[in-house]
Amino acid sequence: MNIVQLSVFVENKVGRLRAITKVLADAGVNILTMSLADTTDFGILRFIADDPDKARNVLSDHDVMCRATDVVAVRVAHTPGALNELLGILGEEGIQIEYMYNYTELAGDGGLACVIILRLSDQANAAELLRGRGIKLEN
Amino acid sequence: MRYWNEPIETMSRDELRSIQDTRLRRTVEKIYTNVEHYRKKMQDKGLLPGDVRGAEDLRLLPFSTKQDLRDTYPYGMFSAPLDQITRIHASSGTTGKQTVVGYTAKDIEIWAECMARCLVMAGQDKRSRVQVSYGYGLFTGGLGAHYGAERLGASTIPTSSGNTQRQIVIMRDFGSTCLCCTPSYALFIAETMEDMGIKKEELSLQAGCFGAEPWTEGMRRQIEDRLGIRAHDIYGLSEIMGPSVSQDCECKAGLHVWEDYFIPEIIDPATGEVLPDGAQGEIVFTTISKEGMPLIRYRTRDISSLTHEVCACGRTHARMGRLKGRTDDMLIIRGVNVFPSQIESVLLGFSNVSPNYRIIVEREGLLDQMTIELEINETLFADTVKGMEDAERGIRRQLDSVLGITSRVRIVEKGTIDRSMGKAVRVIDKRNLIG
């Protein structure tokens, strides 16, 4: 199943990123994970919030350009070869990755698990395909 | 050779005035008879041709503007029938409607005469080799300078603009003595020469006639130093003639307007009131010899001043001060006219909403550089870097093809562009044209 990621346009200027995190902090929005893509003139901050609707509302109230995008979050074991296995399946299904980032959390057994956020080509059908291959998706 | 046409260039002010009186009367009669648009404008003011007895009555006549040319596009302002028009030039228009200018054979001859006078002021004669690096085409720069150089009897080298390294090799090998181009291109040539390891001592260059864009004394010193030449400021506009309406002599104390063909006035751009010598205002020209498209009190929107004092060079023709700017929002970038409205229409095509943008013009090194800062909006924002870069590139390409010059596009955050004055400040011109 898809989950909602928020993308924000950030100019490459001192203090701009903080202006955005301040809006989120003041609203009590927690960022579960994020990544920042950068170019010469601007960056794109992508993040998963604990409350995406609220995050989106406060950002647009502050005139911050923000867009919601569907991504999938895949939980894999925090062990060597787990990512390689996932990518192997994506390859076999002919699915391309537009971008990805991840976070680590405690697994039920007290060990670590890794959650990988993926934006995929054919995002609409990718989740179904992956589930069909026995991959566990977060929701 | 000191003067191309000594009797005219040094004639007394009284004689000059008498020529102007006669030619102005003839021009007013001609346009009243031949140009419906002018006849109506004069009738609106209750004027008959006989009311204008001479140059002192000039201020009775209505102004003309670029709008008159647009309203009568393409040939409505022509005074001569098309079978007598031997050349047509056009200047870039804001909204696709360019302004069209027609010349008769005699107009072209007079233009060549004016340009020959300018080249002689720049120390050239028939033994000279004049390299014309203005663009040839609808733009008047290339052909205007070309015909003047041929009239002078100089060896004319029509390189047109572009291909700078080849220009430099030609300049060196052919022994060009005079360069005609925009001042920023002259500096670009100097810089390219340095990159190529060609020294100014290897050239035969003596002088240059530089114009078609605003420039400064600081740039003049740089050009003179780096090319080892004397740099002259030449002025013109296609509506009046093209380059050689005026140019400065070796005294560099203002540009001599060829007053036997053009009568200059300085007006207050807000009230239209004629201002005295020395005052700054909009420069206005009346053509008094043109047949193809005579213009009466044409408002150039260029800010300058006038002096009618006789110059140390011996010429009696009035001098206009170096251009101080423009009255409207047109930008001249690398010699090309750019209107914010053109940019806006391109940006509109990429957004569903009215774009919030500003135009920043800087002089980087030697060339004008234009950057369009555009505020991000729903249509533009892509979630991927590639998507954003594609959008920027698409806008840039479209701007390049519409404006005819390259620019940069930078997408900025919402709220970056100041709207404090109610209306966004659209143009920030950081070129320092005061030095």
Side-chain angles (χ1 to χ4, degrees), chain A residues 7 11 16 39 46 67 99, chain B residues 378 381 383 385 413-414:
Chain A
S7 305
E11 259 188 89
R16 291 314 303 154
T39 69
R46 304 186 184 107
R67 168 166 293 175
Y99 51 79
Chain B
E378 289 290 346
F381 187 40
D383 160 56
V385 170
E413 281 180 37
K414 273 168 108 174

Side-chain angles (χ1 to χ4, degrees), chain B residues 143-214:
Chain B
L143 286 165
H146 182 102
Y147 274 62
E150 285 195 348
R151 165 60 56 90
L152 177 61
S155 308
T156 309
I157 310 172
T159 47
S160 194
S161 53
N163 203 345
T164 310
Q165 300 211 354
R166 182 155 179 254
Q167 297 258 5
I168 292 165
V169 171
I170 286 172
M171 196 183 300
R172 182 191 61 191
D173 296 354
F174 295 12
S176 305
T177 57
C178 182
L179 174 66
C180 299
C181 64
T182 62
S184 58
Y185 194 58
L187 277 173
F188 189 65
I189 285 177
E191 190 173 70
T192 310
M193 258 172 57
E194 285 154 23
D195 291 346
M196 291 166 74
I198 293 178
K199 295 195 171 59
K200 62 184 176 188
E201 290 76 18
E202 297 174 53
L203 306 179
S204 310
L205 212 56
Q206 303 160 341
C209 300
F210 305 120
E213 68 185 9

Side-chain angles (χ1 to χ4, degrees), chain A residues 44-56:
Chain A
I44 300 171
L45 172 70
R46 304 186 184 107
F47 65 98
I48 310 291
D50 61 348
D51 187 344
D53 288 340
K54 189 173 174 191
R56 213 178 161 184

Side-chain angles (χ1 to χ4, degrees), chain B residues 37-304:
Chain B
H37 190 74
Y38 266 135
R39 184 164 56 246
K40 278 193 185 136
K41 281 181 93 143
M42 284 177 64
Q43 284 167 346
D44 285 348
K45 287 199 136 204
L47 273 178
L48 287 167
D51 295 336
V52 179
R53 289 154 302 172
E56 71 198 79
D57 295 328
L58 199 54
R59 60 188 71 192
L60 299 176
L61 289 163
F63 291 112
S64 338
T65 65
K66 215 174 184 85
Q67 193 57 46
D68 291 309
L69 275 71
R70 295 208 180 101
D71 291 346
T72 58
Y73 175 89
Y75 300 143
M77 296 297 275
F78 285 18
S79 176
L82 277 176
D83 62 3
Q84 287 176 34
I85 298 291
T86 59
R87 174 95 64 82
I88 291 173
H89 280 284
S91 72
S92 53
T94 34
T95 51
K97 222 182 207 187
Q98 41 200 351
T99 50
V100 182
V101 187
Y103 302 79
T104 64
K106 191 182 153 218
D107 291 336
I108 298 288
E109 261 178 48
I110 287 172
W111 188 3
E113 159 80 20
C114 291
M115 189 65 212
R117 291 181 194 174
C118 293
L119 287 165
V120 171
M121 281 205 285
Q124 304 303 299
D125 59 32
K126 63 182 181 151
R127 290 161 302 176
S128 305
R129 288 162 299 279
V130 177
Q131 181 165 341
V132 181
S133 306
Y134 285 115
Y136 280 64
L138 285 173
F139 169 56
T140 51
L143 286 165
H146 182 102
Y147 274 62
E150 285 195 348
R151 165 60 56 90
L152 177 61
S155 308
T156 309
I157 310 172
T159 47
S160 194
S161 53
N163 203 345
T164 310
Q165 300 211 354
R166 182 155 179 254
Q167 297 258 5
I168 292 165
V169 171
I170 286 172
M171 196 183 300
R172 182 191 61 191
D173 296 354
F174 295 12
S176 305
T177 57
C178 182
L179 174 66
C180 299
C181 64
T182 62
S184 58
Y185 194 58
L187 277 173
F188 189 65
I189 285 177
E191 190 173 70
T192 310
M193 258 172 57
E194 285 154 23
D195 291 346
M196 291 166 74
I198 293 178
K199 295 195 171 59
K200 62 184 176 188
E201 290 76 18
E202 297 174 53
L203 306 179
S204 310
L205 212 56
Q206 303 160 341
C209 300
F210 305 120
E213 68 185 9
W215 56 311
T216 63
E217 282 304 316
M219 275 180 83
R220 165 140 54 194
R221 282 191 295 275
Q222 254 201 76
I223 293 172
E224 293 190 329
D225 182 48
R226 293 170 79 174
L227 289 175
I229 60 168
R230 195 167 78 199
H232 294 264
D233 189 1
I234 189 166
Y235 174 83
L237 60 164
S238 62
E239 298 91 317
I240 297 304
M241 181 67 93
S244 76
V245 169
S246 65
Q247 187 190 278
D248 55 11
C249 62
E250 70 272 19
C251 303
K252 295 173 183 168
L255 290 70
H256 289 282
V257 178
W258 302 122
E259 278 191 278
D260 49 331
Y261 299 127
F262 318 107
I263 306 178
E265 296 171 279
I266 294 287
I267 62 158
D268 179 330
T271 63
E273 182 201 350
V274 178
L275 300 177
D277 268 16
Q280 262 187 30
E282 181 177 348
I283 191 154
V284 169
F285 289 99
T286 299
T287 68
I288 51 173
S289 294
K290 270 181 97 179
E291 297 178 334
M293 197 180 90
L295 288 179
I296 297 294
R297 306 191 83 198
Y298 183 73
R299 295 185 61 158
T300 62
R301 298 182 179 254
D302 287 323
I303 302 290
S304 184

Side-chain angles (χ1 to χ4, degrees), chain B residues 353-370:
Chain B
V353 290
S354 170
N356 201 21
Y357 69 95
R358 68 181 171 194
I359 301 158
I360 297 170
V361 189
E362 291 159 298
R363 191 153 280 163
E364 284 188 8
L366 305 173
L367 288 177
D368 293 340
Q369 179 67 50
M370 178 169 62

